[in-house]
Amino acid sequence: MLLHKAPALVSLKLKLSPKCTADDVGLWMKLAVDRNIRKLKIRYVSGHGRIRLSKRLRTCKTLVALKLKNVVLEAFSHLAGFSSLRTLYLGYVKYSGDESLRNLVSSCPSLQHLVVKRHNRDHVKRFEIVVRYLQSLRVYISPLHDEADSEEYVLKTPNLKYLNIEDHCTGRCSFEDMPYLEEANLDVAFTNSDKIFESLTSVKKLSLCLKKSKLQYPEGITFSRLVHLELCTCDDAEWLNLLMHLLRDSPKLRVLKLNEKNHDFVCKYFFRSWVQQPSYVPECLTQSLEVFEWRNFKGTFKEMDLAAYILKNGLCLKKSLVLHEAPVIETLNFRLGKTSFGPEDIRVWIKAAHKRCVRKLIIEIDGSLRKSPAILPRGFYTDCRVLVELKLNNAVLANVSSSVSFPSLRCLNLLSVKYPGDDFVKRFLFGCPVLEHLVVEQCRDDNVTVFAVRVPSLKSLLVLKSSNRVKNVAFGFVINAPSLERLDIVDDKGGFCIVEDDMPKLIEANVDVNYLLPGKILGSITSTKRLYLCSSISKDEYPFGSVFHRLVHLTLCTCETEWLNLLLRLLRDSPRLQSLKLEQCHHTRAQEPRPCWSEPISVPECVTSRLETLEWVSYGGAEEEKELVAFVLRSGHCVKKVTISSNSTDPNKKLEMIKKLSSSPRRSPTCELIFD
């Protein structure tokens, strides 16, 4: 840089070690000013280092952005300022006292954006910001610190639009009116919270978490522009009263979100009881509120009373995650994880879903956070008669003697669900007469040996076994679904799959299994148009006489030894095949013998008259692989494109593959050979 003669320097970043002195930094600043610096960043990478903001830097008319991190700022006078500075970032800076910070910020008359990430020992007790044209301010002290030098915030920023303060250490605040404020996010522990509300009445979007704050809400104020409110519920002692005050004084509120943030704070109070509901209904509930969202909902009866009150009176609500008085709720999603949820809580929610005609119900239970399993109540199997879509995750189904009835259910997901036994699964699915889409993931100890799917109306089926399930050849699936259009089977735990009836409407099948007798599956899916297959099926186990008369797209995994024999058999029995893709989707087992190429006695019909594309992913260049590609090239009358993607990282080996395949004769004059 000392030899740099350009008249203007746009940006300079200095990463310094603690060995650099203030004089060293001053030299670099002088060079930057001499070249009309616009953006300057000074950062000490290890520990803190002392710097001095020289008069020349402060009077530099081209500097618009200054970023200081991990520095110790020497005493700063207010004699001269950064007249052109628009953006200032102070990251974990240590000052010589309150006056040093105040003078620095006040000497920036054109400052618009200020970010201060405070060190808990920054020697500033009274954090005072006096900047007339400041538009955005963010102040942050890590919540990991329980103590800090800071005692009070003083803000005199009449043109501020965006305010964000996260500080659980400072106890007091003094904000002057901010009439242009658009958005404020306050996660604080101020003891004089009344000063906050008086200065924020012009805000449009407000997020509040008053951790350990003593609520002092002033009467007579109105949030005339507030349309979006987010309130943290971590302090059970105060947030309910605060919410009711804000609803009363925010006549234009459209979005209300409640959430319990993950603070390391345990309140000595439980949920503050709602002795009596307000005699009035806030204007925003009846006139403007459109969205109500409550995350980390505990499910206590007191909370449900509050949710019911808001939703009962929310005449304009369009979207809600909790109770709703409208005649139909499209979607209701329960994410249950805390141990406070019990069977009675779930029963109440299921009853509410039935009362409001829920059409899509999702119940997700985090079993790792619960001491006892979450068992769905008996009324669940008969109450949800208008339910169209149901998703259960980690639920436990109770054994019921009465019949199961879901007369409107069309989509069903059963993920890691535990059942009373095999017979219950049959009765459960029998109670879904119009079911069209079913997803089943069997988990460990689900109490089911043979999972039978006998549903005449079913159109798509995905069955798989989770990774924690024990291998057992006695466990399997039985399928009888004559209307099925898509079938997915993923099972590497051994066992079996029996298809009891033909599936003439099948369009797509994905079979990834590790069965002793897997060939029987293929004999039942000969109507499919698209097939993905990964299996240990050998040529002898493949059902003789089967013809895939509609198959046009075939993807075959090459991880099994018998893949080549299986492929040649499928080519022979798929007269309309147009697209063939080969890929190794799984790791091959160690010391497995390589398949051996054997020239077919006759060329399959699809190769001579139908096959248009061959794609090979993870091509290794083995002898049998080269022979197969050469066979397709010299026999394929209609082949248009052959794409080869090698898994080799050796450039010489790749070049040899290209030469070998490029020299192979091609029967089709329009065939294009592509190496990816």
Side-chain angles (χ1 to χ4, degrees), residues 1 6-11 29-39 56 60-64:
M1 180 174 170
L9 186 62
V10 174
S11 177
M29 284 195 247
K30 178 180 181 301
L31 295 171
V33 172
D34 290 342
R35 287 159 178 79
N36 300 313
I37 185 70
R38 291 183 56 81
K39 298 179 182 179
R56 289 200 63 195
C60 179
K61 297 186 180 299
T62 60
L63 186 65
V64 295

Side-chain angles (χ1 to χ4, degrees), residues 350-618:
I350 295 297
K351 185 176 180 180
H354 164 60
K355 181 180 178 181
R356 290 157 184 85
C357 303
V358 171
R359 296 174 59 83
K360 181 178 179 180
L361 178 61
I362 304 172
I363 301 178
E364 300 173 285
I365 301 171
D366 189 345
S368 64
L369 299 179
R370 301 186 57 84
K371 296 180 180 179
S372 59
I375 302 176
L376 299 185
R378 298 178 186 274
F380 164 73
Y381 306 102
T382 55
D383 287 347
C384 302
R385 298 186 61 82
V386 300
L387 197 63
V388 176
E389 185 172 350
L390 174 62
K391 295 183 179 181
L392 302 178
N393 193 338
N394 277 318
V396 178
L397 302 183
N399 197 3
V400 291
S401 56
S402 60
S403 60
V404 178
S405 180
F406 294 97
S408 305
L409 194 66
R410 296 185 181 276
C411 301
L412 175 61
N413 284 26
L414 301 171
L415 308 179
S416 300
V417 173
K418 294 188 178 181
Y419 314 85
D422 293 16
D423 191 59
F424 178 84
V425 172
K426 299 176 186 177
R427 291 197 294 117
F428 189 95
L429 295 179
F430 183 78
C432 309
V434 297
L435 188 65
E436 295 181 350
H437 308 285
L438 175 61
V439 176
V440 178
E441 181 186 12
Q442 284 193 275
C443 64
R444 185 185 183 98
D445 301 326
D446 66 352
N447 303 317
V448 176
T449 302
V450 179
F451 200 106
V453 179
R454 296 186 177 97
V455 183
S457 59
L458 201 63
K459 293 183 178 180
S460 70
L461 172 63
L462 166 60
V463 290
L464 68 155
K465 294 180 180 178
S466 62
S467 58
N468 64 355
R469 192 173 173 89
V470 178
K471 290 187 176 183
N472 194 323
V473 296
F475 293 166
F477 301 102
V478 173
I479 300 173
N480 190 329
S483 300
L484 206 64
E485 297 176 359
R486 172 166 181 151
L487 173 64
D488 294 81
I489 305 176
V490 181
D491 186 359
D492 63 350
K493 302 301 180 181
F496 60 88
C497 180
I498 298 174
V499 181
E500 295 180 331
D501 200 357
D502 290 337
M503 296 179 285
K505 299 180 180 180
L506 195 64
I507 296 175
E508 183 171 352
N510 299 287
V511 180
D512 186 349
V513 296
N514 183 22
Y515 294 158
L516 292 176
L517 298 173
K520 295 182 179 180
I521 301 177
L522 282 183
S524 305
I525 59 175
T526 54
S527 299
T528 187
K529 292 183 178 181
R530 306 178 67 94
L531 174 62
Y532 167 84
L533 183 60
C534 178
S535 175
S536 57
I537 301 174
S538 69
K539 61 179 181 179
D540 298 326
E541 293 168 341
Y542 185 95
F544 183 77
S546 300
V547 177
F548 293 83
H549 56 282
R550 300 202 304 165
L551 186 64
V552 293
H553 298 279
L554 171 63
T555 300
L556 184 66
C557 181
T558 62
C559 67
E560 295 288 347
T561 304
E562 292 291 341
W563 73 266
L564 185 54
N565 288 330
L566 176 59
L567 172 62
L568 294 176
R569 181 73 182 277
L570 286 169
L571 291 176
R572 189 192 70 183
D573 294 334
S574 306
R576 298 185 179 182
L577 189 68
Q578 298 178 14
S579 173
L580 173 62
K581 181 178 180 180
L582 303 174
E583 61 179 325
Q584 183 179 317
C585 303
H586 311 89
H587 294 294
T588 57
R589 288 185 288 271
Q591 300 179 346
E592 282 285 327
R594 301 285 314 178
C596 182
W597 169 258
S598 179
E599 187 82 14
I601 298 175
S602 61
V603 179
E605 179 183 348
C606 68
V607 177
T608 59
S609 61
R610 296 280 185 171
L611 191 66
E612 296 180 354
T613 62
L614 167 63
E615 180 182 359
W616 200 320
V617 181
S618 298

